[in-house]
Amino acid sequence: MRPLYRAWLYFVAWLGGMALWLFYNKGTALWWQPLAICAICVALFIVTERRGCPPGGLQLVSVLVLLGWVFLFRLDSGWAARQFWGFVVGAGAYLLGLLLPWLHPRFGQLAAVAALTLLVLALVFGTRISGARAWLTVFDTFTFQPVEFARILLIIYLGGELAQNRLNVKSAAVLGLFLLLLALQTDLGPALLVFLVFSALYFTISFSWLKLVLFLGLGTAAAAAAVWKFPHLRTRLLAWLTPWDFLDSKGYQVLQGIFALNAGGLVGRGMGEGMADVIPAAHTDYILAVIGEEFGLLGTFALLLVYVGLAFWAFRLLLEVGDGRLRLIGLGFTLLLHVQVLLVVGGILRLIPFTGMTLPFVSYGSSSLTAQLWMFGMLTRLGREQL
Amino acid sequence: MNGQMRRWFLGTAACYVIILGGLLYWHLAADLGTHSANPRYYRVFSEPRGTIVDRRGEPLAVTLGEEENFRRSYAAASLTHVVGYFHPRYGMTALERIYHEELLVGRTVQTTIDLELQLKVESLMEGRIGAAVALSPATGEVLALVSSPWIDGNVLAERWSEYSEDGRSPFLNRVTQGQYPPGSVIKPIVYGTALERELTSPDQIWNDQGVFRVDGRTVQNFGGRSLGAITTEEALALSSNTVFAELAVELGDDLLSVLRRFALGSEPLWELGGQSGFVPQRAYSDHNKALLGIGQGELLVTPLQMGMVAAALANRGVLMQPYLVQELRGGFRLRQITRPVELGQVLSESVAAQVRDAMVLTARSGTAQGVCSDEVQLAAKTGTAQAGAKGDHAWFIGFAPSPMPQIAVAVLVEHGGTGSAAAAPIGAAIIEEALKIWNREKGIR
């Protein structure tokens, strides 16, 4: 066995052991779930390697998923239990992404249609559960967030279009329609994310300073319009600048996040010792604040290292991809993941206004986890020369 | 294309480095533990807390009550200016705030305070406006510290509005924050400086006419009386303004540098902090110099600083850093013991002995005459500092027993009248009580 893999197995075993200890102390019926996550990860790992794809990224992702599960368990075992089933579905999505030719040029147009359809369905039939996010209910039992999948589909389409035809009217129209549909649902975090990733892809194929200035101007104008149009965005912006003046609304969340990080210090207060119950959305958008309070700077820094490692792995993989179109789509996937991490964490740290998205692979949310794993499967597939 | 991928990776990594900067800032650099919107701050009020004890282990501040309904109880009302208070609505102050992290994990904070002496000083100061501090000269340990009026940490909620509206500012710790002209209690330093510079000797004869003329202005003795033919030593004991004005004019800026050596004009570096007082950079006229010699003019000191001066004179001219906490223990951490810190030899040992002799004379036959029995072997100096229309401030500094002093004291009564009448009896009573306690304990040992 190669040393890196062995280290990974040790780490997974350690996390599993930690989880076991947790159950032992709390006496829960969920003791088998982290072990099952480990087992599924190992299975996915073997399948990935058998298919000739680089499995390194999966090691890092499994660490994130386990860490997320452990913290969800610490917050509320019910969330952990549901997150486990989300991961089971996500593992299936990963395999589908790994084994099927999603990125075949023939499906490009279809991806755009699917992305827009999902958003329209969400707009028409969706219900809003937590503030801005739209949910779809299928057959009265299964709920999911269409936007998590729609943005990946859109990047598949835009990456392909940009690589083949540069920027044309059709792709610009699809992007504009997509952003408009998101704006109508007042879901502007994903809109910002998609716009940023699209700009990055566009500048990758044709860069000029004039265009950069144009995009910056366009983005600023759109942001200003959005802030002017939506009062809750204005609150968010002000809560970012002066959270003390907005203690009863969004400023409360911003402050609780940094209070939690500050309470963590270097080594944290220890598992279960933090005041996670006062942080709004502690299990989704603000899970980093909980990790920061209980594991301290060492914990959040380690988490950051895992994401940087994932970025390093992905970009090295992309260097090996010969096909320009696939490489551009792969870049889109990679940036979709990391820009989201940067926006969420930057928001928690008050470096930028908080945009309200999940921390990929760690936060609670089956749709988010499934979509991310599906995208990750497609990215891993690019490590082998095939469509 | 490869270069582009590398650039994107470097860009992403750079963004993560910025994120790391944010993490470093919020985790380590920011200090939000006591922010008013931080619920963690309020949680500490519902948890048991370590005890603060006096030098003998007697509790000064303890947590009483049931789980989730704790309250803090203090052994003496005047301790609020030393130990501080700890209250869910009003926050925390003094030692309760400084050692909050230690107390939170159940550690015991042992102070240098002598509760018995503190209670005695409290009863002596009750009803007056002023400050009193007692120190151990050899170490700088603070044995008692009372600023009157005080707020009672046991009944904060009931009496808060009363305290806030009290015009006598009970929240102000006059020992460390109150700045006053020292008046004649500065004279032992002037005397010591003059002896050190060999400007005079203790038995040099002066002819005190009651008035000293300088720059066309006059400096008069207290009450305008003339003391006639007196030695320098007697001039200190009887507090002759004319002699000390003349000495100060001759000393000039040398006096200012010695005053600064006594740590006057600088903030005390100890647990409770405090004001620096004021020592001018230099004296611009002879009249200014003369006023400095009798503790008037621009000079300002805090009672703590005068306590340190008395302690240094008692400790053979060695100034010690004052301190309040001698030990932190318990709570599964290492014990921490404070060691006394020397701030330097501010007067030579022989000069300090001569100053002490003059202060003994003051207590025997000078302005501090008859304030306590002879067995005490008191060395003292009184002061009456001019402070405008509301009346003079009364000062007293002293230590005893004079050959091997165990305690040094400074007392200030705001607008109390003369030092001899208003401050000296309080200072003498503090010293007598301290020696009584000390002798009793020596007997046990």
Side-chain angles (χ1 to χ4, degrees):
Chain A
M1 227 188 299
R2 273 154 52 195
L4 187 65
Y5 298 168
R6 208 179 322 161
W8 174 64
L9 283 177
Y10 283 144
F11 189 67
V12 167
W14 176 76
L15 272 174
M18 189 174 76
L20 259 183
W21 177 84
L22 202 78
F23 315 137
Y24 184 75
N25 281 294
K26 286 206 174 181
T28 169
L30 297 182
W31 62 271
W32 54 275
Q33 284 195 354
L35 298 184
I37 292 177
C38 293
I40 292 171
C41 286
V42 172
L44 295 180
F45 183 82
I46 292 168
V47 172
T48 309
E49 212 173 26
R50 284 280 165 82
R51 295 288 297 180
C53 297
L58 187 65
Q59 301 175 339
L60 298 169
V61 166
S62 66
V63 169
L64 294 175
V65 171
L66 269 171
L67 184 75
W69 189 92
V70 168
F71 266 91
L72 288 173
F73 181 83
R74 171 254 176 272
L75 287 167
D76 183 339
S77 56
W79 283 330
R82 266 171 284 164
Q83 180 82 341
F84 172 76
W85 293 111
F87 175 70
V88 171
V89 176
Y94 172 82
L95 285 178
L96 289 180
L98 186 76
L99 301 177
L100 300 181
W102 299 88
L103 305 183
H104 197 280
R106 198 188 302 158
F107 301 136
Q109 314 284 336
L110 205 61
V113 174
L116 293 174
T117 311
L118 277 173
L119 286 192
V120 170
L121 284 175
L123 193 62
V124 178
F125 300 107
T127 46
R128 275 176 206 172
I129 297 179
S130 63
R133 282 174 205 157
W135 297 70
L136 264 190
T137 307
V138 186
F139 306 130
D140 288 339
T141 48
F142 177 66
T143 60
F144 77 110
Q145 286 181 295
V147 66
E148 298 282 353
F149 297 90
R151 62 194 187 205
I152 298 171
L153 289 167
L154 184 79
I155 291 300
I156 294 177
Y157 167 72
L158 285 178
E161 281 293 300
L162 283 175
Q164 280 164 352
N165 312 320
R166 307 265 144 168
L167 186 59
N168 57 25
V169 180
K170 197 170 65 178
S171 54
V174 169
L175 176 70
L177 196 57
F178 189 87
L179 294 179
L180 185 70
L181 284 168
L182 280 181
L184 285 175
Q185 299 174 46
T186 65
D187 201 358
L188 290 152
L192 176 68
L193 176 64
V194 164
F195 179 74
L196 287 176
V197 173
F198 167 76
S199 314
L201 295 185
Y202 179 60
F203 288 129
T204 305
I205 53 159
S206 70
F207 179 83
S208 82
W209 289 103
L210 184 71
K211 283 180 194 159
L212 183 66
V213 171
L214 202 71
F215 265 70
L216 281 177
L218 210 69
T220 314
V227 169
W228 177 72
K229 184 82 182 50
F230 302 108
H232 81 277
L233 276 189
R234 209 155 33 218
T235 320
R236 259 199 178 151
L237 193 70
L238 291 171
W240 170 59
L241 292 169
T242 55
W244 304 276
D245 299 343
F246 296 87
L247 281 179
D248 49 347
S249 55
K250 277 289 163 200
Y252 180 78
Q253 189 178 29
V254 175
L255 276 182
Q256 294 311 320
I258 58 181
F259 287 155
L261 293 177
N262 193 231
L266 182 65
V267 293
R269 296 164 74 96
M271 194 90 194
E273 297 294 317
M275 278 181 92
D277 46 330
V278 301
I279 308 172
H283 62 301
T284 54
D285 301 357
Y286 262 74
I287 197 160
L288 182 88
V290 183
I291 298 174
E293 179 167 15
E294 304 195 344
F295 281 1
L297 177 67
L298 292 183
T300 48
F301 180 60
L303 186 66
L304 223 59
L305 273 186
V306 173
Y307 280 116
V308 173
L310 209 50
F312 183 70
W313 171 83
F315 281 108
R316 220 176 49 170
L317 180 147
L318 290 176
L319 284 181
E320 307 291 321
V321 177
D323 183 86
R325 180 178 159 275
L326 289 181
R327 183 152 51 177
L328 200 64
I329 297 177
L331 178 65
F333 287 164
T334 307
L335 291 179
L336 209 50
L337 173 73
H338 292 286
V339 173
Q340 183 172 346
V341 175
L342 291 168
L343 286 178
V344 172
V345 178
I348 292 175
L349 298 177
R350 257 189 90 204
L351 296 170
I352 51 171
F354 190 66
T355 38
M357 282 183 289
T358 56
L359 188 64
F361 301 119
V362 180
S363 286
Y364 174 72
S366 305
S367 310
S368 163
L369 187 59
T370 304
Q372 294 286 356
L373 281 168
W374 175 54
M375 184 178 87
F376 186 66
M378 291 189 285
L379 182 64
T380 307
R381 185 187 167 87
L382 292 181
R384 204 180 101 183
E385 279 299 322
Q386 61 182 7
L387 278 174
Chain B
M1 197 73 178
N2 282 0
Q4 245 165 354
M5 284 298 156
R6 193 166 294 119
R7 271 201 292 280
W8 278 120
F9 173 67
L10 290 177
T12 313
C15 289
Y16 277 112
V17 170
I18 295 172
I19 295 287
L20 178 63
L23 283 175
L24 279 172
Y25 178 75
W26 291 120
H27 272 303
L28 303 180
D31 185 13
L32 301 169
T34 55
H35 191 285
S36 62
N38 191 344
R40 285 159 199 79
Y41 174 62
Y42 296 98
R43 190 173 59 169
V44 305
F45 293 99
S46 62
E47 280 175 2
R49 189 172 171 82
T51 304
I52 302 176
V53 299
D54 86 339
R55 59 192 297 111
R56 273 187 289 274
E58 294 287 326
L60 300 180
V62 289
T63 296
L64 297 179
E66 302 290 307
E67 192 82 35
E68 296 298 311
N69 194 23
F70 292 115
R71 70 184 183 80
R72 204 71 167 152
S73 167
Y74 299 96
S78 63
L79 279 172
T80 314
H81 284 307
V82 187
V83 170
Y85 56 75
F86 178 81
H87 193 278
R89 196 182 311 159
Y90 308 111
M92 40 191 153
T93 60
L95 296 186
E96 291 272 32
R97 182 175 55 80
I98 298 162
Y99 293 98
H100 174 62
E101 296 288 322
E102 313 276 345
L103 291 165
L104 209 54
V105 295
R107 298 198 87 183
T108 299
V109 176
Q110 180 159 28
T111 64
T112 58
I113 293 288
D114 184 324
L115 180 60
E116 205 179 332
L117 187 63
Q118 175 81 16
L119 287 166
K120 175 72 178 178
V121 181
E122 179 181 314
S123 72
L124 287 165
M125 293 301 290
E126 181 133 39
R128 293 182 165 86
I129 302 178
V133 58
L135 297 127
S136 168
T139 57
E141 293 163 286
V142 174
L143 303 172
L145 188 157
V146 171
S147 169
S148 178
W150 49 78
I151 47 175
D152 186 345
N154 295 311
V155 288
L156 272 188
E158 294 88 331
R159 304 188 58 183
W160 188 265
S161 60
E162 184 187 323
Y163 290 142
S164 327
E165 286 155 21
D166 193 332
R168 302 171 301 165
S169 338
F171 290 97
L172 178 72
N173 186 343
R174 289 174 161 80
V175 176
T176 55
Q177 306 289 330
Q179 303 185 95
Y180 307 91
S184 301
V185 286
I186 209 71
K187 283 176 186 162
I189 300 181
V190 184
Y191 181 59
T193 312
L195 291 177
E196 206 174 58
R197 298 286 184 280
E198 294 176 347
L199 269 181
T200 181
S201 65
D203 41 16
Q204 184 193 340
I205 306 286
W206 301 74
N207 186 15
D208 181 324
Q209 300 289 341
V211 178
F212 175 64
R213 289 193 169 73
V214 59
D215 289 348
R217 300 166 81 173
T218 59
V219 173
Q220 293 192 347
N221 277 349
F222 184 75
R225 68 216 156 110
S226 53
L227 300 166
I230 50 170
T231 63
T232 321
E233 197 175 35
E234 284 168 340
L236 183 88
L238 299 169
S239 206
S240 160
N241 283 349
T242 60
V243 172
F244 278 90
E246 192 170 339
L247 282 174
V249 170
E250 286 180 54
L251 284 169
D253 287 347
D254 281 2
L255 176 61
L256 294 175
S257 69
V258 175
L259 289 177
R260 278 192 283 272
R261 237 158 53 192
F262 272 90
L264 301 179
S266 56
E267 286 176 16
L269 296 173
W270 73 316
E271 289 93 337
L272 298 185
Q275 293 289 337
S276 61
F278 184 74
V279 174
Q281 274 306 303
R282 50 167 309 194
Y284 288 97
S285 70
D286 282 355
H287 183 248
N288 261 346
K289 291 174 189 165
L291 286 181
L292 286 173
I294 61 168
Q296 295 289 160
E298 297 168 284
L299 210 55
L300 288 175
V301 298
T302 66
L304 176 72
Q305 288 174 329
M306 286 325 293
M308 288 165 70
V309 167
L313 295 173
N315 192 35
R316 298 163 188 189
V318 177
L319 182 65
M320 302 300 294
Q321 177 101 276
Y323 66 97
L324 256 179
V325 172
Q326 55 176 225
E327 195 176 307
L328 303 171
R329 59 170 176 262
F332 300 106
R333 288 193 210 167
L334 284 179
R335 206 156 73 138
Q336 259 173 274
I337 300 171
T338 314
R339 305 211 178 284
V341 175
E342 271 186 28
L343 293 177
Q345 183 91 37
V346 290
L347 280 182
S348 74
E349 199 175 331
S350 59
V351 169
Q354 287 172 311
V355 176
R356 186 191 67 208
D357 291 344
M359 288 172 74
V360 170
L361 191 68
T362 312
R364 203 175 290 148
S365 58
T367 56
Q369 191 180 353
V371 288
C372 60
S373 64
D374 288 347
E375 295 101 77
V376 172
Q377 294 176 284
L378 178 69
K381 183 74 194 86
T382 61
T384 308
Q386 292 171 18
K390 286 170 80 181
D392 299 342
H393 294 319
W395 274 105
F396 170 88
I397 60 171
F399 51 88
S402 60
M404 289 284 285
Q406 298 300 319
I407 178 169
V409 165
V411 177
L412 167 101
V413 182
E414 269 183 31
H415 310 297
T418 65
S420 313
I426 298 175
I430 295 171
I431 287 173
E432 276 189 317
E433 175 74 13
L435 293 185
K436 206 170 79 194
I437 296 168
W438 181 62
N439 284 327
R440 189 184 67 211
E441 289 194 342
K442 200 171 62 173
I444 293 169
R445 260 188 256 127

